[in-house]
PDB file of all heavy atoms in Angstrom:
ATOM      1  N   LYS A  38       0.841  -1.200   0.003  1.00 96.00           N
ATOM      2  CA  LYS A  38      -0.004  -0.005  -0.001  1.00 96.00           C
ATOM      3  C   LYS A  38       0.894   1.243   0.002  1.00 96.00           C
ATOM      4  O   LYS A  38       1.722   1.426   0.880  1.00 96.00           O
ATOM      5  CB  LYS A  38      -0.891  -0.013   1.250  1.00 96.00           C
ATOM      6  CG  LYS A  38      -1.999   1.076   1.197  1.00 96.00           C
ATOM      7  CD  LYS A  38      -3.018   0.758   0.128  1.00 96.00           C
ATOM      8  CE  LYS A  38      -4.143   1.792   0.063  1.00 96.00           C
ATOM      9  NZ  LYS A  38      -4.931   1.849   1.305  1.00 96.00           N
ATOM     10  N   ARG A  39       0.707   2.060  -1.009  1.00 95.00           N
ATOM     11  CA  ARG A  39       1.427   3.317  -1.149  1.00 95.00           C
ATOM     12  C   ARG A  39       0.390   4.416  -1.401  1.00 95.00           C
ATOM     13  O   ARG A  39      -0.074   4.594  -2.524  1.00 95.00           O
ATOM     14  CB  ARG A  39       2.446   3.260  -2.266  1.00 95.00           C
ATOM     15  CG  ARG A  39       3.545   2.206  -2.061  1.00 95.00           C
ATOM     16  CD  ARG A  39       4.476   2.619  -0.924  1.00 95.00           C
ATOM     17  NE  ARG A  39       5.631   1.713  -0.806  1.00 95.00           N
ATOM     18  CZ  ARG A  39       5.755   0.769   0.103  1.00 95.00           C
ATOM     19  NH1 ARG A  39       4.723   0.548   0.949  1.00 95.00           N
ATOM     20  NH2 ARG A  39       6.834   0.022   0.166  1.00 95.00           N
ATOM     21  N   GLY A  40       0.009   5.133  -0.344  1.00 94.00           N
ATOM     22  CA  GLY A  40      -1.068   6.105  -0.458  1.00 94.00           C
ATOM     23  C   GLY A  40      -2.378   5.411  -0.748  1.00 94.00           C
ATOM     24  O   GLY A  40      -2.789   4.518  -0.023  1.00 94.00           O
ATOM     25  N   ASP A  41      -3.050   5.828  -1.829  1.00 93.00           N
ATOM     26  CA  ASP A  41      -4.320   5.188  -2.196  1.00 93.00           C
ATOM     27  C   ASP A  41      -4.131   4.032  -3.141  1.00 93.00           C
ATOM     28  O   ASP A  41      -5.132   3.369  -3.523  1.00 93.00           O
ATOM     29  CB  ASP A  41      -5.247   6.251  -2.866  1.00 93.00           C
ATOM     30  CG  ASP A  41      -5.686   7.344  -1.900  1.00 93.00           C
ATOM     31  OD1 ASP A  41      -5.750   7.062  -0.673  1.00 93.00           O
ATOM     32  OD2 ASP A  41      -5.936   8.471  -2.355  1.00 93.00           O
ATOM     33  N   ASP A  42      -2.909   3.764  -3.565  1.00 96.00           N
ATOM     34  CA  ASP A  42      -2.665   2.738  -4.550  1.00 96.00           C
ATOM     35  C   ASP A  42      -1.885   1.565  -3.953  1.00 96.00           C
ATOM     36  O   ASP A  42      -1.376   1.637  -2.825  1.00 96.00           O
ATOM     37  CB  ASP A  42      -1.848   3.309  -5.738  1.00 96.00           C
ATOM     38  CG  ASP A  42      -2.595   4.427  -6.438  1.00 96.00           C
ATOM     39  OD1 ASP A  42      -3.824   4.287  -6.624  1.00 96.00           O
ATOM     40  OD2 ASP A  42      -1.955   5.436  -6.789  1.00 96.00           O
ATOM     41  N   TRP A  43      -1.818   0.490  -4.720  1.00 98.00           N
ATOM     42  CA  TRP A  43      -1.041  -0.699  -4.333  1.00 98.00           C
ATOM     43  C   TRP A  43       0.080  -0.873  -5.339  1.00 98.00           C
ATOM     44  O   TRP A  43      -0.139  -1.082  -6.527  1.00 98.00           O
ATOM     45  CB  TRP A  43      -1.953  -1.924  -4.313  1.00 98.00           C
ATOM     46  CG  TRP A  43      -2.918  -1.887  -3.147  1.00 98.00           C
ATOM     47  CD1 TRP A  43      -4.120  -1.279  -3.131  1.00 98.00           C
ATOM     48  CD2 TRP A  43      -2.763  -2.534  -1.888  1.00 98.00           C
ATOM     49  NE1 TRP A  43      -4.723  -1.453  -1.893  1.00 98.00           N
ATOM     50  CE2 TRP A  43      -3.910  -2.217  -1.116  1.00 98.00           C
ATOM     51  CE3 TRP A  43      -1.741  -3.295  -1.317  1.00 98.00           C
ATOM     52  CZ2 TRP A  43      -4.099  -2.671   0.189  1.00 98.00           C
ATOM     53  CZ3 TRP A  43      -1.913  -3.753  -0.019  1.00 98.00           C
ATOM     54  CH2 TRP A  43      -3.070  -3.438   0.739  1.00 98.00           C
ATOM     55  N   LYS A  44       1.321  -0.795  -4.867  1.00 98.00           N
ATOM     56  CA  LYS A  44       2.497  -0.936  -5.720  1.00 98.00           C
ATOM     57  C   LYS A  44       2.823  -2.426  -5.885  1.00 98.00           C
ATOM     58  O   LYS A  44       2.961  -3.150  -4.914  1.00 98.00           O
ATOM     59  CB  LYS A  44       3.691  -0.197  -5.105  1.00 98.00           C
ATOM     60  CG  LYS A  44       4.927  -0.252  -5.981  1.00 98.00           C
ATOM     61  CD  LYS A  44       6.048   0.617  -5.382  1.00 98.00           C
ATOM     62  CE  LYS A  44       7.284   0.606  -6.293  1.00 98.00           C
ATOM     63  NZ  LYS A  44       8.344   1.459  -5.756  1.00 98.00           N
ATOM     64  N   ARG A  45       3.002  -2.821  -7.124  1.00 98.00           N
ATOM     65  CA  ARG A  45       3.324  -4.209  -7.433  1.00 98.00           C
ATOM     66  C   ARG A  45       4.817  -4.448  -7.470  1.00 98.00           C
ATOM     67  O   ARG A  45       5.515  -3.750  -8.215  1.00 98.00           O
ATOM     68  CB  ARG A  45       2.694  -4.607  -8.775  1.00 98.00           C
ATOM     69  CG  ARG A  45       2.888  -6.079  -9.156  1.00 98.00           C
ATOM     70  CD  ARG A  45       2.195  -6.336 -10.507  1.00 98.00           C
ATOM     71  NE  ARG A  45       2.239  -7.738 -10.907  1.00 98.00           N
ATOM     72  CZ  ARG A  45       3.205  -8.295 -11.621  1.00 98.00           C
ATOM     73  NH1 ARG A  45       4.227  -7.517 -12.030  1.00 98.00           N
ATOM     74  NH2 ARG A  45       3.169  -9.569 -11.930  1.00 98.00           N
ATOM     75  N   ILE A  46       5.291  -5.422  -6.703  1.00 98.00           N
ATOM     76  CA  ILE A  46       6.680  -5.844  -6.713  1.00 98.00           C
ATOM     77  C   ILE A  46       6.718  -7.290  -7.225  1.00 98.00           C
ATOM     78  O   ILE A  46       6.103  -8.174  -6.579  1.00 98.00           O
ATOM     79  CB  ILE A  46       7.330  -5.746  -5.341  1.00 98.00           C
ATOM     80  CG1 ILE A  46       7.126  -4.338  -4.729  1.00 98.00           C
ATOM     81  CG2 ILE A  46       8.812  -6.099  -5.396  1.00 98.00           C
ATOM     82  CD1 ILE A  46       7.803  -3.252  -5.453  1.00 98.00           C
ATOM     83  N   GLN A  47       7.430  -7.552  -8.280  1.00 98.00           N
ATOM     84  CA  GLN A  47       7.544  -8.947  -8.772  1.00 98.00           C
ATOM     85  C   GLN A  47       8.734  -9.605  -8.108  1.00 98.00           C
ATOM     86  O   GLN A  47       9.872  -9.137  -8.220  1.00 98.00           O
ATOM     87  CB  GLN A  47       7.704  -8.973 -10.294  1.00 98.00           C
ATOM     88  CG  GLN A  47       7.778 -10.367 -10.851  1.00 98.00           C
ATOM     89  CD  GLN A  47       7.653 -10.381 -12.370  1.00 98.00           C
ATOM     90  OE1 GLN A  47       6.691  -9.879 -12.928  1.00 98.00           O
ATOM     91  NE2 GLN A  47       8.616 -10.980 -13.043  1.00 98.00           N
ATOM     92  N   LEU A  48       8.479 -10.701  -7.417  1.00 98.00           N
ATOM     93  CA  LEU A  48       9.514 -11.437  -6.695  1.00 98.00           C
ATOM     94  C   LEU A  48      10.171 -12.533  -7.510  1.00 98.00           C
ATOM     95  O   LEU A  48      11.340 -12.842  -7.325  1.00 98.00           O
ATOM     96  CB  LEU A  48       8.957 -12.027  -5.398  1.00 98.00           C
ATOM     97  CG  LEU A  48       8.101 -11.157  -4.497  1.00 98.00           C
ATOM     98  CD1 LEU A  48       7.822 -11.874  -3.189  1.00 98.00           C
ATOM     99  CD2 LEU A  48       8.775  -9.821  -4.230  1.00 98.00           C
ATOM    100  N   ASP A  49       9.397 -13.133  -8.427  1.00 98.00           N
ATOM    101  CA  ASP A  49       9.918 -14.309  -9.135  1.00 98.00           C
ATOM    102  C   ASP A  49       9.054 -14.480 -10.383  1.00 98.00           C
ATOM    103  O   ASP A  49       7.849 -14.169 -10.365  1.00 98.00           O
ATOM    104  CB  ASP A  49       9.779 -15.519  -8.211  1.00 98.00           C
ATOM    105  CG  ASP A  49      10.592 -16.733  -8.695  1.00 98.00           C
ATOM    106  OD1 ASP A  49      11.188 -16.672  -9.805  1.00 98.00           O
ATOM    107  OD2 ASP A  49      10.647 -17.746  -7.984  1.00 98.00           O
ATOM    108  N   ASP A  50       9.632 -15.063 -11.446  1.00 97.00           N
ATOM    109  CA  ASP A  50       8.844 -15.404 -12.619  1.00 97.00           C
ATOM    110  C   ASP A  50       9.241 -16.762 -13.183  1.00 97.00           C
ATOM    111  O   ASP A  50       9.049 -17.057 -14.344  1.00 97.00           O
ATOM    112  CB  ASP A  50       9.024 -14.340 -13.719  1.00 97.00           C
ATOM    113  CG  ASP A  50      10.457 -14.255 -14.249  1.00 97.00           C
ATOM    114  OD1 ASP A  50      11.335 -14.936 -13.713  1.00 97.00           O
ATOM    115  OD2 ASP A  50      10.679 -13.451 -15.212  1.00 97.00           O
ATOM    116  N   SER A  51       9.738 -17.622 -12.266  1.00 97.00           N
ATOM    117  CA  SER A  51      10.269 -18.900 -12.719  1.00 97.00           C
ATOM    118  C   SER A  51       9.467 -20.125 -12.275  1.00 97.00           C
ATOM    119  O   SER A  51       9.887 -21.261 -12.529  1.00 97.00           O
ATOM    120  CB  SER A  51      11.719 -19.052 -12.224  1.00 97.00           C
ATOM    121  OG  SER A  51      11.749 -19.157 -10.814  1.00 97.00           O
ATOM    122  N   LEU A  52       8.330 -19.897 -11.605  1.00 97.00           N
ATOM    123  CA  LEU A  52       7.521 -21.050 -11.173  1.00 97.00           C
ATOM    124  C   LEU A  52       6.957 -21.798 -12.367  1.00 97.00           C
ATOM    125  O   LEU A  52       6.672 -21.169 -13.410  1.00 97.00           O
ATOM    126  CB  LEU A  52       6.384 -20.609 -10.266  1.00 97.00           C
ATOM    127  CG  LEU A  52       6.653 -20.429  -8.754  1.00 97.00           C
ATOM    128  CD1 LEU A  52       7.736 -19.361  -8.503  1.00 97.00           C
ATOM    129  CD2 LEU A  52       5.378 -20.081  -8.004  1.00 97.00           C
ATOM    130  N   LYS A  53       6.784 -23.064 -12.211  1.00 96.00           N
ATOM    131  CA  LYS A  53       6.115 -23.872 -13.255  1.00 96.00           C
ATOM    132  C   LYS A  53       4.835 -24.419 -12.647  1.00 96.00           C
ATOM    133  O   LYS A  53       4.876 -25.319 -11.802  1.00 96.00           O
ATOM    134  CB  LYS A  53       7.016 -25.010 -13.751  1.00 96.00           C
ATOM    135  CG  LYS A  53       8.218 -24.538 -14.551  1.00 96.00           C
ATOM    136  CD  LYS A  53       9.016 -25.720 -15.061  1.00 96.00           C
ATOM    137  CE  LYS A  53      10.240 -25.293 -15.855  1.00 96.00           C
ATOM    138  NZ  LYS A  53       9.845 -24.571 -17.077  1.00 96.00           N
ATOM    139  N   ASP A  54       3.705 -23.831 -13.040  1.00 95.00           N
ATOM    140  CA  ASP A  54       2.422 -24.302 -12.543  1.00 95.00           C
ATOM    141  C   ASP A  54       2.280 -23.992 -11.041  1.00 95.00           C
ATOM    142  O   ASP A  54       1.982 -24.843 -10.207  1.00 95.00           O
ATOM    143  CB  ASP A  54       2.292 -25.824 -12.768  1.00 95.00           C
ATOM    144  CG  ASP A  54       0.882 -26.332 -12.728  1.00 95.00           C
ATOM    145  OD1 ASP A  54      -0.051 -25.522 -12.644  1.00 95.00           O
ATOM    146  OD2 ASP A  54       0.705 -27.560 -12.768  1.00 95.00           O
ATOM    147  N   GLY A  55       2.489 -22.700 -10.699  1.00 97.00           N
ATOM    148  CA  GLY A  55       2.362 -22.266  -9.308  1.00 97.00           C
ATOM    149  C   GLY A  55       0.980 -22.530  -8.757  1.00 97.00           C
ATOM    150  O   GLY A  55      -0.022 -22.174  -9.345  1.00 97.00           O
ATOM    151  N   HIS A  56       0.936 -23.155  -7.546  1.00 97.00           N
ATOM    152  CA  HIS A  56      -0.338 -23.661  -7.071  1.00 97.00           C
ATOM    153  C   HIS A  56      -0.590 -23.471  -5.583  1.00 97.00           C
ATOM    154  O   HIS A  56      -1.641 -23.833  -5.083  1.00 97.00           O
ATOM    155  CB  HIS A  56      -0.476 -25.151  -7.433  1.00 97.00           C
ATOM    156  CG  HIS A  56      -1.853 -25.602  -7.688  1.00 97.00           C
ATOM    157  ND1 HIS A  56      -2.657 -26.201  -6.753  1.00 97.00           N
ATOM    158  CD2 HIS A  56      -2.620 -25.528  -8.805  1.00 97.00           C
ATOM    159  CE1 HIS A  56      -3.827 -26.506  -7.267  1.00 97.00           C
ATOM    160  NE2 HIS A  56      -3.851 -26.101  -8.547  1.00 97.00           N
ATOM    161  N   ALA A  57       0.388 -22.897  -4.842  1.00 98.00           N
ATOM    162  CA  ALA A  57       0.189 -22.784  -3.385  1.00 98.00           C
ATOM    163  C   ALA A  57       1.006 -21.627  -2.852  1.00 98.00           C
ATOM    164  O   ALA A  57       2.127 -21.351  -3.329  1.00 98.00           O
ATOM    165  CB  ALA A  57       0.585 -24.076  -2.685  1.00 98.00           C
ATOM    166  N   LEU A  58       0.465 -20.957  -1.819  1.00 98.00           N
ATOM    167  CA  LEU A  58       1.049 -19.742  -1.320  1.00 98.00           C
ATOM    168  C   LEU A  58       0.756 -19.638   0.164  1.00 98.00           C
ATOM    169  O   LEU A  58      -0.297 -20.028   0.636  1.00 98.00           O
ATOM    170  CB  LEU A  58       0.443 -18.539  -2.077  1.00 98.00           C
ATOM    171  CG  LEU A  58       1.075 -17.199  -2.022  1.00 98.00           C
ATOM    172  CD1 LEU A  58       2.491 -17.257  -2.589  1.00 98.00           C
ATOM    173  CD2 LEU A  58       0.221 -16.192  -2.806  1.00 98.00           C
ATOM    174  N   GLY A  59       1.727 -19.088   0.923  1.00 98.00           N
ATOM    175  CA  GLY A  59       1.529 -18.884   2.356  1.00 98.00           C
ATOM    176  C   GLY A  59       2.412 -17.778   2.838  1.00 98.00           C
ATOM    177  O   GLY A  59       3.366 -17.350   2.168  1.00 98.00           O
ATOM    178  N   THR A  60       2.094 -17.275   4.020  1.00 98.00           N
ATOM    179  CA  THR A  60       2.917 -16.255   4.677  1.00 98.00           C
ATOM    180  C   THR A  60       3.111 -16.582   6.127  1.00 98.00           C
ATOM    181  O   THR A  60       2.284 -17.287   6.729  1.00 98.00           O
ATOM    182  CB  THR A  60       2.272 -14.849   4.551  1.00 98.00           C
ATOM    183  OG1 THR A  60       1.008 -14.857   5.223  1.00 98.00           O
ATOM    184  CG2 THR A  60       2.119 -14.412   3.130  1.00 98.00           C
ATOM    185  N   GLY A  61       4.188 -16.098   6.737  1.00 98.00           N
ATOM    186  CA  GLY A  61       4.430 -16.288   8.153  1.00 98.00           C
ATOM    187  C   GLY A  61       5.791 -15.749   8.493  1.00 98.00           C
ATOM    188  O   GLY A  61       6.646 -15.512   7.604  1.00 98.00           O
ATOM    189  N   ASP A  62       6.003 -15.501   9.799  1.00 97.00           N
ATOM    190  CA  ASP A  62       7.323 -15.007  10.244  1.00 97.00           C
ATOM    191  C   ASP A  62       8.175 -16.219  10.560  1.00 97.00           C
ATOM    192  O   ASP A  62       8.372 -16.595  11.720  1.00 97.00           O
ATOM    193  CB  ASP A  62       7.140 -14.115  11.457  1.00 97.00           C
ATOM    194  CG  ASP A  62       8.439 -13.444  11.845  1.00 97.00           C
ATOM    195  OD1 ASP A  62       9.475 -13.635  11.123  1.00 97.00           O
ATOM    196  OD2 ASP A  62       8.486 -12.684  12.840  1.00 97.00           O
TER     197      ASP A  62
END
């Protein structure tokens, strides 16, 4: 979140058939 907008950051473009995602510390 940057002001009223959402800035997109691309982390990776090498997945093959990406199918699962999670977050945590």
Side-chain angles (χ1 to χ4, degrees):
K38 191 69 180 296
R39 297 291 187 259
D41 294 331
D42 299 319
W43 289 83
K44 183 175 182 178
R45 182 179 185 270
I46 308 296
Q47 182 169 304
L48 311 188
D49 195 355
D50 64 356
S51 67
L52 275 61
K53 291 183 180 296
D54 200 7
H56 212 263
L58 196 60
T60 60
D62 188 2

